[in-house]
Amino acid sequence: MKYALVCGAGGFIGHHLVRRLKAEGFWVRGVDLRFPRFGASEADDFVVGDLRQQGFVASVVDRHFDEIYQLAADMGGAGYIFTGEHDADVMHNSATINLNVLDAAYRRNCRRIFYSSSACMYPEYNQLDPDNPKCSEDSAYPAAPDSEYGWEKLFSERLYLAYARNHGMQVRIARYHNIFGPQGSWNDGKEKAPAAICRKIAEAFDGDAIEIWGDGRQTRSFLFIDECLEATLRLTRSNWTGPVNIGSEEMVTIDQLVDIVADIAGKTVGKRHIAGPTGVRGRNSDNRLIRERLGWAPSAPLREGLASTYAWISRQVEGQHYSVAAE
Ligand code: NAD
């Protein structure tokens, strides 16, 4: 029997990761401030608590784990991390979690630990041209992320690398690029572009216009959750530290993303571009390194993941209408 610890198991990626590890036969402990919001956790043991508390962290890292996944962070979509309103919390909370979890893992001799960094740590100056963003792993320095969220990720990457260098920890670092899928935030202010667009289109009547932050020409790539989990497990079990991009190279503008979802929904929707937090002008994953090192690349087109995400979100929207009507 192998043992895994998932920190952030109540969150979007952590919840799915627990399910995947269970399917592989692991005994899994999940830890989070809260239980998953959409469906019960499949973890053998789920501990609700605050990873900012050193004593609590020591109590959950109380045995040997073959694999530790550190996904807990204070984060959200553009409406959460780019407005500046949550900067102190984002930096303090996430850095404290990483300091605590990594050190507790070291003190228990749990050497293999995965850390979820983000493409938000890449310098803004390489992402000004929406058609040609540069996000190769070696372009991280000179550092200039466009948010405190990105700076914290960069600090924590360095923290993990320092523990690898000085303490022999087998750290594995991924830079995730916009992971999406069912059972993620969709209406709580922390949702990201794919979920927000799916919700707006699910709520719209045929012919309505939906609001889009910015001019719609900013570019991004989006990776479906199942692909993300596959790459995460491959990286964790490899002999390679990273940091490495885990993302898709299928870059689209936000307007194109809207068009794909509208097509899936079978609706005609107009676009009303409004001012809002948008982040960098362009971003795309650069998968050359992960292809070379792990032989991994996404297996399905963006549209496929969006179809299942839209189906799930439109069910949530319908359920919401039903509960309002029933009151
Ligand atoms: P999420 O917000 O759904 O999950 C994070 C979880 O951490 C939440 O359930 C939250 O309750 C928990 N958490 C926060 N503070 C905590 C604390 N003090 N103690 C215990 N638990 C705490 O986010 P996600 O989308 O699942 O992302 C997981 C990780 O991947 C995060 O580190 C995130 O920064 C990183 N990441 C995600 C994306 C993405 O597109 N989803 C992109 C880049 C990086």
Side-chain angles (χ1 to χ4, degrees), residues 11-12 32-34 37 73-81 86 89-90 93-94 149 179 184-196 199 213:
F12 167 54
D32 203 295
L33 283 174
R34 54 176 168 80
R37 268 172 303 166
D74 192 351
M75 63 98 64
Y80 190 76
I81 58 175
H86 308 284
D89 279 349
V90 164
N93 294 343
S94 298
Y149 171 74
I179 315 304
S185 283
W186 63 281
N187 70 344
D188 63 357
K190 288 192 164 187
E191 64 274 22
K192 315 221 179 65
R199 185 197 69 231
W213 289 347

Side-chain angles (χ1 to χ4, degrees), residues 8 10-14 32-34 49-52 71-75 97 116-118 149 153 176 178-179 192:
F12 167 54
I13 300 173
D32 203 295
L33 283 174
R34 54 176 168 80
D50 189 340
L51 293 165
R52 289 170 301 184
L71 299 153
D74 192 351
M75 63 98 64
I97 293 168
S116 51
S117 181
S118 163
Y149 171 74
K153 289 295 188 192
Y176 285 155
N178 295 315
I179 315 304
K192 315 221 179 65

Side-chain angles (χ1 to χ4, degrees), residues 215-235:
D215 64 7
R217 280 177 281 173
Q218 63 272 33
T219 53
R220 291 291 185 280
S221 67
F222 302 93
L223 185 71
F224 189 58
I225 181 69
D226 293 357
E227 312 264 18
C228 166
L229 297 180
E230 178 63 31
T232 298
L233 296 182
R234 280 201 203 189
L235 173 62

Side-chain angles (χ1 to χ4, degrees), residues 82-95:
F82 295 129
T83 56
E85 288 165 29
H86 308 284
D87 285 351
D89 279 349
V90 164
M91 295 194 91
H92 174 268
N93 294 343
S94 298

